[in-house]
Amino acid sequence: MLPADLIEELLGFRTERDWEQFHAPRNLAISLSLEASEVLELFQWQDPRGEAVQALLPRLREELADVAVYLTYLCHDLGIDLEAAVREKMLQNRRKYPVELSKGSAKKYTEL
C-alpha cells in the first residue's frame, strides 16, 4: 500500500537493472519470507517485555523496508491490488472475530 510514485520508482529501479528475469513469483516469495525472517531474527533473544526494541528500530526499519519492496514486486507481478486484498481480508476478519466474542482474547476464530 505504498504510494503510486514510490511503486513506480521501485519498478523503475528493477527495470533499469534488468532484474525482472530473476523475479519469478517463486523467487519473490522466497525473498519475502527470508526478509521477514530477518525481522524475526532481530527479536530472537530479546526481553519479552520489549524494553530493547528502541535500539533495534534502525535495523527493523531497514528489514521492514526490504519486506515491503518484495511484497510490492510480488503483488505487482501477480496483478494483486494489495489495498483491495487487505480491505477484503478485513471484512473476513470482522466476520471471523466479532468484537463481542474476541475482545481481549488471543484465541483463533475456530476456538471462540
Side-chain angles (χ1 to χ4, degrees), residues 35-60:
E35 293 300 338
S37 293
E38 289 182 23
V39 171
L40 186 58
E41 182 182 27
L42 293 174
F43 290 99
Q44 185 175 11
W45 303 112
Q46 293 298 314
D47 182 327
R49 294 172 300 218
E51 295 170 359
V53 171
Q54 285 298 105
L56 296 174
L57 286 180
R59 291 182 60 202
L60 278 169

Side-chain angles (χ1 to χ4, degrees), residues 11-88:
L11 296 173
F13 179 88
R14 179 173 75 163
T15 298
E16 291 167 353
R17 287 152 182 82
D18 192 25
W19 286 350
E20 292 99 331
Q21 63 181 313
F22 309 116
H23 287 184
R26 174 187 180 274
N27 297 350
L28 291 171
I30 290 169
S31 296
L32 177 60
S33 178
L34 292 172
E35 293 300 338
S37 293
E38 289 182 23
V39 171
L40 186 58
E41 182 182 27
L42 293 174
F43 290 99
Q44 185 175 11
W45 303 112
Q46 293 298 314
D47 182 327
R49 294 172 300 218
E51 295 170 359
V53 171
Q54 285 298 105
L56 296 174
L57 286 180
R59 291 182 60 202
L60 278 169
R61 181 182 168 115
E62 184 175 331
E63 297 304 339
L64 289 169
D66 287 338
V67 168
V69 168
Y70 283 118
L71 179 60
T72 299
Y73 287 152
L74 188 58
C75 287
H76 172 269
D77 293 357
L78 295 175
I80 294 171
D81 179 335
L82 183 57
E83 182 176 352
V86 170
R87 290 184 187 284
E88 289 168 19

